[in-house]
Amino acid sequence: MAPDEPMAPAALRCLDGSTISTAEEWLARRRPELLELFAEYVYGHTPDLSLEAVARTHREDIVLGGRAVRREVDVVITGPAGERTVQLLLYLPTGAKCAVPVFVGLNFSGNHTVDPDPRIRPARAEQYPPGGQPTVDPATAGGRGSLAHRWPIDMIIDSGFGAATAFCGDVEPDHPEGAAHGVRGLLADFSQHRSGSDWGTLGVWAWALSRLLEVLSDQPGVDPDRILAVGHSRLGKAALWAAAQDERFALVVSNESGCGGASPSRRPFGESVHDITSRFPHWFCPRFAEFAGREDDLPVDQHLLLAAIAPRLVYVASAREDLWSDPEGERLSALAAAPVFDLFGADRPAGEPAIGYHLREGEHDILPEDWQHYLRFAADRLG
Ligand code: GCU
């Protein structure tokens, strides 16, 4: 794809060649078609799971000098082959006069890395990839607060928002054999063997985000109509796929989600389909790997994932030195999705861009500076 070519496939043309010209046509025809194509070719189909998720409050503390309440909620997921607990860490402002919007996202290395408070339970060793060096030492919980910069709770709370997070390894450990030790292992017909359009870890993480949304919707103090998905990198890919499928998310933030996230697969820059499916074969459906080196044959590309979220809010963020994620590709995707948001444009003040975007200096990470943009965008757009 040359840099100034329009991004293919065309957002407003259906597979049968017909053109979409209204918001109603988009929602009735093109969006369902795209969701089916992303399931078939990229992430795999999300099955209807016969798993029950029950929330139980484990403990509640007043934190941040009285400005927030922190709740640890156990989300117990039960299936025919057993049960699994996803620990949800939720912060809400104490001074709010009404229910608040809440950001929810998975974290990389355990809830105890988000907040140094020793009362937070550490993640267990078996939730990490085997042999992979975890970011923290789970046995001693030595990494307490080591990734706190990714979750600037005080800033989020002081802006009138809530924040909720859970460890992705609670849902399913991030490695090719992780499925057996996660949510999929609870299913009666679980098999480690996958083929074609069977879902992968990103699909399972996205599924879990929807379960967390349901749990949050029932929590006192949370506004169920303003639950906002957020994710960095691989977890940003999962957040986008969750928000594309689940219209209950009012907004999604993709922070440097890169290949398989906001970056176009067709652009020969940064991580390629070959790179990602060789190193992380478990993330996608097996079929995605068949498009390594022939990305032009994919019937979708990632700008269409952003478009599938319209007219709900989307924010894409990149970092200049994060070349692996292709910052320019992420920006072009956001631009290419804009015509779809424009179909719904009457709902937006003139001149306001459809999708939020920023490029910050620096490397691959999610920083308080990024959160400042997200909080401002969400406050402006959610009303
Ligand atoms: C690797 C991977 C990326 C991913 C990133 C992350 O770099 O290649 O696709 O986004 O890890 O999750 O941090």
Side-chain angles (χ1 to χ4, degrees), residues 52 63 82 86 99 109 131 134 184 189 198 209 213 224 245 249 252 260 264 270 277 293 303 308 324 342 361:
E52 200 195 353
V63 296
V86 176
S109 299
R184 277 183 283 179
D189 58 352
D198 289 342
L209 282 169
L213 173 144
Q245 296 175 92
F249 287 106
V252 58
T277 55
H303 60 299
W324 190 237
D342 288 343
E361 297 305 319

Side-chain angles (χ1 to χ4, degrees), residues 108 233-234 237 257 259 271 276 279-280 283 324 364:
F108 276 72
S233 210
R234 68 196 67 186
K237 306 180 210 293
S257 58
C259 182
E271 186 171 27
I276 202 163
R279 281 182 65 209
F280 305 101
W283 284 357
W324 190 237
H364 189 62

Side-chain angles (χ1 to χ4, degrees), residues 94-363:
T94 42
K97 293 197 175 54
C98 55
V100 298
V102 174
F103 284 94
V104 58
L106 298 173
N107 65 68
F108 276 72
S109 299
N111 291 347
H112 65 290
T113 65
V114 168
D115 182 327
D117 189 329
R119 290 174 288 187
I120 295 175
R121 291 167 290 173
R124 297 180 306 278
E126 64 273 17
Q127 293 163 297
Y128 297 90
Q133 189 57 41
T135 317
V136 296
D137 177 355
T140 61
R144 284 194 181 283
S146 59
L147 293 176
H149 67 277
R150 291 187 171 176
W151 293 90
I153 302 296
D154 49 353
M155 182 197 293
I156 298 171
I157 290 292
D158 292 344
S159 306
F161 288 78
T165 185
F167 178 30
C168 66
D170 268 10
V171 177
E172 187 164 298
D174 186 8
H175 60 97
E177 277 76 50
H181 309 286
V183 160
R184 277 183 283 179
L186 305 176
L187 299 169
D189 58 352
F190 172 72
S191 155
Q192 192 66 258
H193 176 75
R194 294 189 307 133
S195 61
S197 299
D198 289 342
W199 64 336
T201 309
L202 292 177
V204 179
W205 287 340
W207 175 88
L209 282 169
S210 285
R211 303 294 77 73
L212 296 181
L213 173 144
E214 284 153 9
V215 167
L216 287 169
S217 300
D218 287 340
Q219 289 291 310
V222 175
D223 181 349
D225 295 326
R226 292 184 297 166
I227 296 183
L228 325 171
V230 57
H232 168 59
S233 210
R234 68 196 67 186
L235 303 176
K237 306 180 210 293
L240 286 174
W241 180 225
Q245 296 175 92
D246 190 337
E247 292 178 89
R248 295 171 298 177
F249 287 106
L251 179 157
V252 58
V253 170
S254 151
N255 190 87
E256 299 154 30
S257 58
C259 182
S263 302
S265 300
R266 279 166 172 73
R267 229 175 89 87
F269 192 95
E271 186 171 27
S272 67
V273 173
H274 170 78
D275 294 326
I276 202 163
T277 55
S278 326
R279 281 182 65 209
F280 305 101
H282 55 293
W283 284 357
F284 301 91
C285 68
R287 203 167 185 183
F288 188 48
E290 295 169 15
F291 292 88
R294 50 180 205 92
E295 290 79 2
D296 285 346
D297 294 339
L298 267 169
V300 280
D301 211 330
Q302 298 303 119
H303 60 299
L304 301 176
L305 185 66
L306 305 181
I309 300 162
R312 290 166 296 129
L313 298 166
V314 176
Y315 196 103
V316 174
S318 314
R320 198 184 297 279
E321 289 168 45
D322 179 21
L323 300 181
W324 190 237
S325 302
D326 186 11
E328 176 63 1
E330 294 188 321
R331 190 184 70 83
L332 292 172
S333 272
L335 279 179
V340 175
F341 288 81
D342 288 343
L343 293 175
F344 301 87
D347 306 338
R348 222 177 41 241
E352 196 169 61
I355 300 187
Y357 179 82
H358 74 258
L359 171 69
R360 69 156 167 77
E361 297 305 319
E363 295 176 355

